[in-house]
Amino acid sequence: MTNDFALCPECGSKKIQFVQNKKWTCPDCGFDLYCNVAAAVGLIICSPAGDVLFETRAKEPRKGFLALPGGFCNPDEPAEDAARRECMEEIGMPVQEIKYVASFPNTYPYKNFVYKTCDLFFEAKISQEEAAGLLQKLKADQKEVSGVGFYKVSSQEDIDNLPLAFDSAKKALAAWLGYRHCPT
């Protein structure tokens, strides 16, 4: 999968090239278009028992794999607001207090195009009472999410055994375990 254009959008030249894995350039007119890193967010929603809420992806890339609630930041949107918005859009869950955990690079192939992202992860705590009835209350966006569930995440082995969609989430969960924000 490559990020290729057949024609320069400025002059129509067929000589446009993707160079240095970061920009398109046209030798005929000097056009440059940078393929900047996109910002994305993920929420580690955890219960006091150490269970983490995961979505099952309903679309590509990595359809059928587990992901943390989240998605891309909109233009001019702070990452914290994006995390709250995405959680509400994807599973109908409002979250208020979130705490930054870590960020990791990611590669997101979509419709024959490779996006490079910087994924920022946050933690949101819920009470044991909230966790007990949460799955029945969630309203998943069926275009994005085919299911939701809690999984135990108390060790690196637990993380390694999860069918995670993205390596950045695996790294974020490992960093989160190191912080031990949620009691286990």
Side-chain angles (χ1 to χ4, degrees), residues 60-144:
E60 296 297 344
R62 311 286 288 162
K63 181 179 178 179
F65 284 80
L66 297 179
L68 297 166
F72 287 99
C73 295
N74 287 333
D76 301 321
E77 181 180 42
E80 295 85 353
D81 292 350
R84 290 182 188 98
R85 176 186 53 76
E86 284 286 346
C87 192
M88 192 65 186
E89 288 176 2
E90 289 183 350
I91 60 174
M93 181 178 176
V95 291
Q96 298 304 318
E97 291 185 41
I98 61 175
K99 187 182 285 187
Y100 175 77
V101 173
S103 66
F104 296 97
N106 191 23
T107 299
Y108 191 87
Y110 183 69
K111 293 189 176 182
N112 297 318
F113 200 83
V114 177
Y115 295 88
K116 293 295 188 174
T117 66
C118 179
D119 296 351
L120 297 103
F121 293 92
F122 299 89
E123 172 196 67
K125 296 179 185 180
I126 58 174
S127 69
Q128 200 59 42
E129 294 78 29
E130 290 172 308
L134 183 63
L135 296 179
Q136 291 76 27
K137 294 178 189 173
L138 296 179
K139 293 178 178 57
D141 177 350
Q142 298 299 308
K143 291 181 267 172
E144 301 269 339

